[in-house]
Amino acid sequence: MILTLYRGLTTIGAPLISMFLARRMARGKEDRLRFGERKGAAGIARPSGRVVWLHAASVGESLSMLPVIERIQAQPDTTVLVTTGTVTSAQLMAERLPDGAIHQYVPVDRLPWVRRFLDHWRPDLALWAESEFWPNLLIETARGQVPLVLLNGRISDRSFAKWSRHARLAARLLDCFVLCLGQTPADAERLQALGAARVACRGNLKFAVPPLPADEALLAVLRAELAGRPCWLAASTHAGEELAVGRVHQTLAAQHPGLLTIIVPRHPPRGAAIAAELTELGLAVAQRSAGQAVGPHTDVLLADTMGELGLYIRLAPLVFMGKSLIGQGGQNPLEPARLGAAVLFGPHMDNFSDIADEMCKAGAAERVEDEDGLARAVSRRLVSPAVVADFGAAARDFATAQAGVLDAVLDELKPWLSAKDAVDEGA
């Protein structure tokens, strides 16, 4: 009943959907130049040979899929088509996709647009990352006899409770997949409980992601600008956290002369508003997107640019991961861990709960409860570079402990990645 209603509403609700998309475009959340892709109109011709379509919702999911994309793209006569739904993820994919791979925006989940997308691309295999289940897109793909595999499937406690209330819908959507690979054994159990027929867990693909890149020349310039000043980084912050980080800086500045706080917001377009907030707080801010250099009296370097997080993690070996003080689920702590940074995060790490718990148990991270706890944790580390180095080494060891996960996942995909007759057999 719910599925029938949904499919009907997305068919007859074209005017409302168009109004919603127009509002998103006005706020910069849609790509005006490539908007046709959101309606299923391809921005590029389908290449010859096999097309493996991989869908990842946004930045985090698409980054975790890069190793899979690279390995599949390296196969002969095969092109990987990557779809994401956000402008930020499209910009990131433009920088990080291997040669030959194609990025398109995922079509909005209306039947005419979904069918237009599928008719053009005719994928031979579809790989779905994590937990974004669009009913029309899944059902139409499966109806076209395209094998669907869920990679790194994640079902949080909250999502499991929600899907359990709509058990028939969950089972219908999961029935579209020929295989569901959970991030963790707990995710695999939840997928099976919700109705997935074939389930396994071969590890978390987030552990297979290579370290974030950095421009070495720019890193040398920034290190010269800092001239040995103590510094720490607040990475992937969300609204409200920047002010908290600014207050932490004010608390610590007298105890740690010359302290520089670096803030990398998750959404760079917020940079001007963040700079205004921090300036009103009384802090001297150098805004990276405005080309402002760090001076001797700069309190905060606001790195409101795309694709430079790896640069700032290398610059500041003490990293607080955002979206964790404000109760929205946290950001990926493996990103700084891979680069040997000492990692801190707040109490709200629901999106990475298993990783966060295991990191704390292994001495590879510390969880702080609030703004005051963050100030204390940062201060303890600023006075002891040796402690920072020890935490960083433990973090790197933790982040590299599952080096074999990529091979294990690709082994599971072999029946569908080989010749077409093997695809039919596997399905």
Side-chain angles (χ1 to χ4, degrees), residues 17 27 70 76 85 92 180 264 274 356 393:
I17 293 172
R27 297 198 301 270
E70 290 168 358
L92 186 67
C180 292
V264 180
I274 296 169

Side-chain angles (χ1 to χ4, degrees), residues 55-135:
H55 174 64
S58 190
V59 171
E61 295 89 343
S62 56
L63 280 175
S64 68
M65 292 298 116
L66 279 174
V68 176
I69 295 166
E70 290 168 358
R71 290 279 286 271
I72 296 175
Q73 183 62 39
Q75 295 190 356
D77 199 33
T78 300
T79 300
V80 179
L81 166 69
V82 180
T83 57
T84 62
T86 66
V87 174
T88 305
S89 61
Q91 294 170 344
L92 186 67
M93 289 296 98
E95 297 173 0
R96 302 287 299 275
L97 280 180
D99 291 343
I102 297 170
H103 175 270
Q104 296 278 278
Y105 285 102
V106 68
V108 175
D109 204 38
R110 287 195 68 235
L111 280 171
W113 299 345
V114 165
R115 288 168 177 164
R116 182 186 299 165
F117 172 87
L118 292 171
D119 287 345
H120 176 85
W121 290 106
R122 305 186 310 279
D124 297 280
L125 171 65
L127 306 175
W128 217 263
E130 298 205 11
S131 60
E132 188 176 66
F133 300 146
W134 291 109

Side-chain angles (χ1 to χ4, degrees), residues 140-184:
E140 293 302 308
T141 301
R143 279 184 176 171
Q145 298 186 338
V146 179
L148 268 158
V149 178
L150 180 64
L151 297 181
N152 235 35
R154 180 171 61 86
I155 305 292
S156 66
D157 292 341
R158 184 180 301 178
S159 294
F160 183 65
K162 180 188 74 172
W163 282 114
S164 295
R165 291 194 294 270
H166 305 287
R168 291 182 62 185
L169 174 61
R172 176 67 182 90
L173 297 181
L174 290 173
D175 187 55
C176 295
F177 293 98
V178 297
L179 172 65
C180 292
L181 295 177
Q183 270 189 31
T184 68

Side-chain angles (χ1 to χ4, degrees), residues 15-34:
L16 290 176
I17 293 172
S18 295
M19 287 175 57
F20 171 73
L21 292 172
R23 290 179 61 186
R24 282 179 55 83
M25 188 178 295
R27 297 198 301 270
K29 293 182 177 293
E30 295 289 343
D31 189 331
R32 191 176 298 274
L33 296 178
R34 296 173 56 186

